[in-house]
Amino acid sequence: MNILITAGGTKEKIDDVRYIANHSTGKLGAAMAEAFAKDAENSIVYLHGTGAIVPRRPNVFPIEIFSTEDLKNQLENQLNNKQFTAVIHSMAVSDYTVSNTFSESDFLSAFSEKIPITQETSQLLWTKDELLAALEKQFEAMAVQEKNKISSNFDHLLIRLEKNPKIIQKIKLLQPETILVGFKLLVDTSETNLVSVARNLLEKNNCDYVLANDLTTIKGDKHHGILVGSDQSTQIAETKQEIAEIIVNTIKDKSKTRENK
Amino acid sequence: MNILITAGGTKEKIDDVRYIANHSTGKLGAAMAEAFAKDAENSIVYLHGTGAIVPRRPNVFPIEIFSTEDLKNQLENQLNNKQFTAVIHSMAVSDYTVSNTFSESDFLSAFSEKIPITQETSQLLWTKDELLAALEKQFEAMAVQEKNKISSNFDHLLIRLEKNPKIIQKIKLLQPETILVGFKLLVDTSETNLVSVARNLLEKNNCDYVLANDLTTIKGDKHHGILVGSDQSTQIAETKQEIAEIIVNTIKDKSKTRENK
């Protein structure tokens, strides 16, 4: 089988020296790649973030990416050129990218210049709605202060982020036949909520399976996860190895069932 | 000699899964630790950021830290308990820490509630100064939306940062006798400017030496740097090894001169 695994986390550049990252190590992605790699007939493309763990196996082909934009490009490139039995998208993708960074004082002084006042009473000529619209516009307008490295001399800096497009939603558009496994990490939630969030994502992101897990139940190799299927199935695992095994077995079974149809 | 080296970069938490980091690898710090470690009589405390390179030598004692706050605590702890011949502060310390994170829409709607208008004309009752003061107050007031993991559902998120205290300025207060080497990374600047920025920092941060370098002249092991001394000396190096050597030799000479006084 051709398998595409994404692992680790994406990073978003703030300036030439700073970036936003997440704690994802790629351990779970690596465990899954190892599990698939045991069968020499499998070929695994391993798209991973910088700094993530990379399994060294002859049938694992690593591709390193930095940002969400890089991930999108490499993923499209792979999906356009090769048919994958399954895409296992375990990478922690940044929800937001940096749109601009500016100091609070520069924001206030740039905004100050646009405030219309009467000559006589110094009262504002705006209505409430005009004021709010002008504020929103000012956030959009703020450009980066220094392009290379942001000065360290401001009291308060604002990093403005904008939502990234959901990359997982593009996968089935490019390969409707692939078995898509999505991942969702929540923090300190109930088992019922994990399953319910997973069920919502199955539909929203057009996944065949979603592995839901909770940061507070991950420690070292212990890793509680629930694999929820679009066929209403649920499977529970307690370690990264168990998660890897149930995913490998589920993909194997599902692809056989499809072949027999 | 007892030597304290800081290396790699600090990270600043945004929420349980996200943080701000910088590209510092700790390679230069590791090269300096290795150079000092060659002399078995030297003992090197190596304070490093997570993910940084750590030299494995019997006389190198690594301590891992995550945030600027951690660095401050560990540094104070070391300086309060042991006399160091030199402190070589090569760590890329975050200039800013995260004060709060909030969505632009929540900022605007919270602010909206505080705008005073007349019943009749809907005109604003603020003066320009009152408006600006209210805006500044609103930035301060915005609390984190979710404590654990920020929702991915906002169009625009604002991360508000506040300036970190300059840790390097505390070193000589705790150990006036130590030889302090500071580092300054600039981006795409001239040789003259490197030296002039280094001279300013010597005084501002109470350093004996400042190693000034430029991101655009660092590639692989190539690493152009100028060591500027409070004695008006300048020494130039072109690789990480050369930087390590001139620093080791300079510290050795300076500590001998002091002993002979």
Side-chain angles (χ1 to χ4, degrees), chain A residues 18 95 104 157 160-161, chain B residues 18 95 104 157 160-161:
Chain A
R18 301 172 180 90
D95 295 316
E104 206 169 287
L157 211 63
R160 184 173 187 258
L161 307 173
Chain B
R18 302 173 179 89
D95 295 315
E104 207 168 285
L157 210 62
R160 185 173 188 257
L161 307 172

Side-chain angles (χ1 to χ4, degrees), chain B residues 177-232:
Chain B
E177 294 302 305
T178 202
I179 304 166
L180 179 57
V181 185
F183 283 70
K184 182 68 184 177
L185 180 67
L186 295 167
V187 179
D188 203 11
T189 190
S190 68
E191 196 83 354
T192 326
N193 194 44
L194 277 180
V195 174
S196 124
V197 168
R199 291 232 161 94
N200 284 338
L201 283 177
L202 281 169
E203 198 170 338
K204 194 178 158 201
N205 294 339
N206 213 349
C207 293
D208 299 283
Y209 300 93
V210 167
L211 191 288
N213 50 171
D214 183 327
L215 189 64
T216 58
T217 63
I218 302 172
K219 205 174 176 185
D221 202 53
K222 279 204 178 164
H223 195 137
H224 177 72
I226 312 174
L227 187 68
V228 181
S230 59
D231 52 6
Q232 303 297 316

Side-chain angles (χ1 to χ4, degrees), chain A residues 17-19 21-23 95-96 104 112 123-124 126 151-152 154-157 159-161 163, chain B residues 17-19 21-23 95-96 104 112 124 126 128 149 151-152 154-157 159-161 163:
Chain A
V17 297
R18 301 172 180 90
Y19 58 86
N22 62 61
H23 285 286
D95 295 316
Y96 298 94
E104 206 169 287
S112 163
Q123 234 186 331
L124 301 195
W126 269 332
S151 167
S152 54
F154 300 114
D155 281 335
H156 290 101
L157 211 63
I159 303 177
R160 184 173 187 258
L161 307 173
K163 215 195 287 187
Chain B
V17 296
R18 302 173 179 89
Y19 58 87
N22 61 62
H23 286 287
D95 295 315
Y96 298 95
E104 207 168 285
S112 164
L124 300 194
W126 269 331
K128 187 171 167 175
K149 187 179 170 186
S151 166
S152 54
F154 300 114
D155 280 336
H156 290 102
L157 210 62
I159 303 177
R160 185 173 188 257
L161 307 172
K163 215 196 286 185

Side-chain angles (χ1 to χ4, degrees), chain A residues 52-71:
Chain A
I53 291 170
V54 181
R56 304 288 166 197
R57 294 272 195 158
N59 53 344
V60 174
F61 304 93
I63 301 172
E64 188 181 85
I65 59 100
F66 185 83
S67 67
T68 308
E69 178 74 17
D70 295 342
L71 171 66

